[in-house]
Amino acid sequence: MPARLDLTQGDITTLAVDAIVNAANSTLLGGGGVDGAIHRAAGPELLAECRTLGGCATGEAKITAGYRLQARHVIHTVGPVWSGGRDDDPALAACYRNSLRLAAANDCRSIAFPCISTGVYRFPFERACRIALATVKAECVRLPAIERVVFVCFGQSDFEAFERIMAESNA
């Protein structure tokens, strides 16, 4: 049975899932946006563990404990900075694919994703949503252990755009 895909608006740090995904920078040492929010909510132990990981390349993913979060794990992935080049789309897809594979390898059945690279990295939002949906659907077929994927939008306009794109992808 394929994973159930859900969409919600709100704060990813409050979700009770096995893993939340952090749209991190390559140092994994915290930053702005969702990255900063996750580090603040998880507490200083997350930063201490991230210091031991040696950073992360674009498209790759690394896992830590969730510490003070409801989620057991945080999966850190580094999205591409939008350049309009031919490597942008595959790099973003790799973030979702590698995060799901890491979740499955760590016995996570539920995972929540923010909209990776759509903030300060300026990836076009609707394009990013389509890549996220297509990649997650394809990868979940290969990973039956993943039962639920939640896409989390912080703002109302992003939520409405993602909701429309999800409906179109199911038509």
Side-chain angles (χ1 to χ4, degrees):
M1 178 175 201
R4 185 176 90 218
L5 304 183
D6 292 326
L7 175 66
T8 191
Q9 179 189 356
D11 180 352
I12 197 169
T13 68
T14 65
L15 296 183
V17 292
D18 293 326
I20 63 171
V21 176
N22 180 15
N25 62 51
S26 62
T27 69
L28 301 182
L29 301 180
V34 71
D35 190 11
I38 288 171
H39 273 269
R40 284 188 299 277
E45 300 88 354
L46 179 62
L47 179 59
E49 184 175 356
C50 284
R51 283 192 172 118
T52 70
L53 298 178
C56 187
T58 300
E60 296 300 316
K62 296 193 177 180
I63 193 166
T64 62
Y67 298 101
R68 298 177 190 177
L69 299 167
Q70 290 188 57
R72 288 186 297 127
H73 298 285
V74 177
I75 296 175
H76 309 266
T77 190
V78 180
V81 175
W82 175 254
S83 70
R86 64 185 174 109
D87 295 334
D88 292 348
D89 291 3
L92 183 60
C95 291
Y96 288 93
R97 188 171 37 260
N98 289 325
S99 294
L100 286 166
R101 290 176 182 174
L102 194 53
N106 285 274
D107 299 318
C108 297
R109 293 185 315 224
S110 59
I111 184 171
F113 284 98
C115 299
I116 299 168
S117 284
T118 61
V120 296
Y121 286 5
R122 301 187 180 280
F123 209 103
F125 186 80
E126 292 192 12
R127 183 181 191 119
C129 292
R130 286 184 177 86
I131 292 166
L133 280 169
T135 305
V136 166
K137 285 180 179 181
E139 200 61 28
C140 284
V141 169
R142 295 179 193 91
L143 298 170
I146 303 292
E147 297 173 358
R148 180 174 180 233
V149 177
V150 182
F151 295 102
V152 183
C153 295
F154 187 72
Q156 180 67 29
S157 62
D158 286 351
F159 174 82
E160 291 170 2
F162 206 125
E163 185 176 47
R164 178 180 45 77
I165 292 164
M166 280 184 86
E168 290 169 1
S169 77
N170 292 328

